[in-house]
Amino acid sequence: MTARVRKLIGGAGLLVFLAFYIWAATAVSDRLPDNMVVKLIYFAVIGTAWGLPLRPLLAWMNRGK
């Protein structure tokens, strides 16, 4: 598989994952208590944690340039 095809597939997978991740994060945030500190911590963690599950996909996309 060429690098161009891997990047195309990976880019589409990235968009699908992020759409689901955003949907799930907002669905969970609706169930949080109405406390600003709790929501601040939640969104700080969720806002930075999205990259962790994408590491294998990004590594696969950039393999064998």
Side-chain angles (χ1 to χ4, degrees):
M1 185 178 300
T2 66
R4 183 178 216 148
V5 172
R6 270 197 314 272
K7 289 184 183 200
L8 178 67
I9 293 169
L14 180 80
L15 290 175
V16 168
F17 172 79
L18 285 177
F20 174 76
Y21 188 83
I22 291 167
W23 172 79
T26 55
V28 170
S29 74
D30 289 341
R31 290 172 170 69
L32 290 176
D34 196 22
N35 184 341
M36 187 61 87
V37 174
V38 171
K39 288 192 177 196
L40 177 69
I41 293 170
Y42 172 76
F43 282 112
V45 170
I46 289 297
T48 56
W50 63 270
L52 239 104
L54 290 176
R55 287 186 67 140
L57 176 65
L58 294 174
W60 174 78
M61 285 171 57
N62 292 317
R63 187 174 16 146
K65 290 182 180 181

